[in-house]
């Protein structure tokens, strides 16, 4: 049986299959295996993009609201970007380990499959 949405091995392509309770093993394997290199590449790209924006944000004061103003609140966008980037340090390993556990859980054979082998 063919399933629509097999063109890309990502989560959205498995949605049509999951609606009919038939997700091909290849699609599940691709979804839970390709993240091992795609996730770090995506995070690196995001961090490099944020890092490249920092000089422009500092020079222009983009999205920053210094005091005094009507609301009596200040916001420093470059500082927010730096804190956001530093936030990846503790969260990236946790999220990556979580995905590895999910991969093990989804791709590991069930006890019934082990008996048949």
């Amino acid at each position: 049986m063919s399933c629509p949405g097999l063109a890309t091995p990502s989560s959205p392509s498995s949605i049509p299959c999951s609606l009919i309770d038939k997700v091909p093993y290849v699609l599940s394997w691709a979804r839970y295996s390709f993240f091992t290199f795609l996730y770090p590449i995506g995070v690196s790209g995001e961090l490099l993009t944020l890092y490249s924006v920092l000089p422009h944000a500092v020079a222009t004061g983009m999205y920053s609201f210094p005091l005094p103003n009507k609301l009596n609140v200040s916001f420093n966008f470059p500082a927010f970007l730096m804190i956001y980037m530093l936030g990846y340090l503790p969260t990236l390993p946790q999220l990556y380990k979580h995905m590895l556990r999910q991969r093990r859980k989804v791709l590991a054979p069930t006890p019934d499959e082990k008996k048949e082998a």
Side-chain angles (χ1 to χ4, degrees), residues 1 3 14-24:
M1 176 176 185
C3 180
S14 67
I15 291 172
C17 296
S18 64
L19 291 175
I20 57 173
D21 292 329
K22 295 283 185 186
V23 179

Side-chain angles (χ1 to χ4, degrees), residues 6-106:
L6 293 178
T8 58
S10 62
S11 180
S13 62
S14 67
I15 291 172
C17 296
S18 64
L19 291 175
I20 57 173
D21 292 329
K22 295 283 185 186
V23 179
Y25 179 78
V26 172
L27 186 59
S28 293
W29 178 87
R31 176 182 179 186
Y32 287 99
S33 297
F34 289 162
F35 87 90
T36 55
F37 62 91
L38 292 177
Y39 189 69
I41 290 172
V43 169
S44 300
E46 184 174 351
L47 290 174
L48 287 171
T49 302
L50 291 170
Y51 183 75
S52 69
V53 168
L54 273 175
H56 177 71
V58 169
T60 63
M62 176 174 70
Y63 303 125
S64 295
F65 302 104
L67 285 174
N69 58 36
K70 292 180 183 178
L71 298 174
N72 202 26
V73 175
S74 74
F75 178 72
N76 188 334
F77 187 62
F80 171 77
L81 290 178
M82 287 185 261
I83 292 168
Y84 182 78
M85 289 189 307
L86 288 173
Y88 271 102
L89 292 175
T91 57
L92 179 64
Q94 289 177 342
L95 294 173
Y96 197 77
K97 287 177 187 175
H98 172 73
M99 285 300 294
L100 286 174
R101 284 191 300 272
Q102 288 296 105
R103 180 181 189 272
R104 191 176 318 120
K105 184 173 110 179
V106 170

